[in-house]
Amino acid sequence: MPFTIAVAGKGGTGKSTLSALLVQAVVERGQGPVLAVDADPNANLGELLGLQAETSIGELREDTLSRVADLPPGASKERYLEQGLHECLVEGEAVDLLVMGRGEGPKCYCMVNHILRKYIEVLRGSYAYVVLDNEAGLEHLSRRTTQDVDVLLVVAQPNPVALRAASRIVGLARELALRVDREYLVLNGVSGDEPSSIADEMSRMGITLGARVPHDEEIAQLALEGRPLSQLSMRAPARTAAGELLERMLNERKQGG
Ligand SMILES: Nc1ncnc2c1ncn2[C@@H]1O[C@H](COP(=O)(O)OP(=O)(O)OP(=O)(O)O)[C@@H](O)[C@H]1O
Ligand SMILES: [Mg+2]
């Protein structure tokens, strides 16, 4: 199965940016193909990757339910969903994008989710990596739309309030008893050394610091201009940090320690 990285964190901490940088790091190392999953209802991972999704799993789910009565009985619902899933997939060169889209309404989604889970699992099997950009509530992880995760990255700005929010997300992941092999904290938007209060907070959280991603003016500028992160220069410090984080995750997985 692919190496699956889930990125979580409070709103605006840099989850989508980190997800896109990691996708890029995998591709640069020739280790693709990667499946990038945008699991945030307010999806923008595609923009950062320069890929545009026409539709989402959320829309497919609603569409299937509204047509269920018209579909012939038996396997056709399955086929409809399987085909719909492939229509949701945006194919790039070494990266494909799947947008989960809006959350569930008041209907009963069990049957649809059950089938979708099965086909998402099959789809996952064709990739070397899956990078999952989550929303803060970890909704998709909690509903097991996505299954096992090798690494959970919790992104936070380097200040005590943000770290406490990150801590709650780590707690939530543990409460949900997600099958996560490793967790790392990623400090994003770092400039200079952190005060010791940050180190104290991190040790209270009991989570390993995976990376410090510097504040990068070039990223801020690309975001302002709505340009994809592929246009970030090769030596951009945040790009280097994401590459090092990827290597660390892989090394620590191999060591199994
Ligand atoms: N290291 C960085 N240096 C400079 N700007 C950054 C950095 N990381 C993120 N940003 C900027 O911060 C803003 C929020 O980043 P991003 O969209 O990645 O966060 P998010 O956690 O995905 O947000 P949301 O919760 O809204 O999905 C963006 O404008 C992004 O360009
Ligand atoms: Mg985001």
Side-chain angles (χ1 to χ4, degrees):
M1 282 312 268
F3 188 67
T4 302
I5 305 167
V7 182
K10 202 162 112 19
T13 46
K15 300 177 290 294
S16 302
T17 302
L18 180 69
S19 301
L21 289 172
L22 287 170
V23 166
Q24 208 167 38
V26 171
V27 174
E28 259 165 38
R29 284 161 180 74
Q31 292 177 355
V34 193
L35 176 64
V37 181
D38 193 336
D40 191 333
N42 193 359
N44 73 335
L45 183 61
E47 265 173 68
L48 295 174
L49 293 170
L51 294 171
Q52 205 188 336
E54 300 295 330
T55 183
S56 69
I57 296 290
E59 283 171 49
L60 170 64
R61 202 188 271 131
E62 294 296 334
D63 185 49
T64 310
L65 282 183
S66 65
R67 281 161 187 257
V68 119
D70 311 331
L71 294 171
S76 60
K77 241 174 290 167
E78 292 228 354
R79 260 203 305 281
Y80 190 79
L81 279 164
E82 186 187 14
Q83 193 186 334
L85 175 63
H86 285 276
E87 281 163 15
C88 287
L89 195 69
V90 188
E91 292 178 78
E93 241 167 67
V95 185
D96 292 351
L97 171 73
L98 192 64
V99 176
M100 300 308 285
R102 60 182 167 158
E104 295 178 354
K107 297 178 192 155
C108 174
Y109 297 84
C110 295
M111 174 273 294
V112 175
N113 280 341
H114 179 73
I115 300 172
L116 273 174
R117 257 195 298 275
K118 182 171 105 187
Y119 287 116
I120 290 176
E121 273 310 286
V122 174
L123 181 70
R124 237 160 67 100
S126 8
Y127 297 90
Y129 286 82
V130 174
V131 177
L132 199 83
D133 178 12
N134 288 278
E135 34 56 278
L138 299 177
E139 195 193 333
H140 286 286
L141 288 176
S142 66
R143 277 197 277 108
R144 304 286 196 275
T145 321
T146 34
Q147 304 276 305
D148 298 357
V149 169
D150 291 287
V151 176
L152 176 69
L153 298 175
V154 183
V155 189
Q157 260 94 30
N159 67 63
V161 175
L163 283 179
R164 281 194 284 276
S167 189
R168 285 191 288 275
I169 290 174
V170 173
L172 176 63
R174 289 179 187 163
E175 237 171 72
L176 292 170
L178 299 176
R179 278 175 288 177
V180 175
D181 264 4
R182 278 170 189 277
E183 303 157 344
Y184 296 94
L185 177 73
V186 175
L187 291 181
N188 184 36
V190 171
S191 51
D193 295 331
E194 299 87 44
S196 58
S197 57
I198 299 287
D200 294 346
E201 194 62 47
M202 284 193 294
S203 64
R204 260 197 295 277
M205 285 171 78
I207 186 170
T208 312
L209 178 61
R212 286 186 168 77
V213 180
H215 174 81
D216 198 325
E217 262 316 305
E218 213 191 321
I219 291 187
Q221 193 57 36
L222 287 177
L224 267 180
E225 294 168 11
R227 285 157 60 202
L229 280 175
S230 53
Q231 296 182 12
L232 193 62
S233 53
M234 283 308 284
R235 294 224 191 99
R239 192 168 185 161
T240 308
E244 287 169 1
L245 172 60
L246 176 69
E247 272 155 30
R248 173 172 183 178
M249 290 188 287
L250 292 174
N251 285 336
E252 296 189 354
R253 169 184 68 158
K254 282 180 204 137
Q255 286 161 7

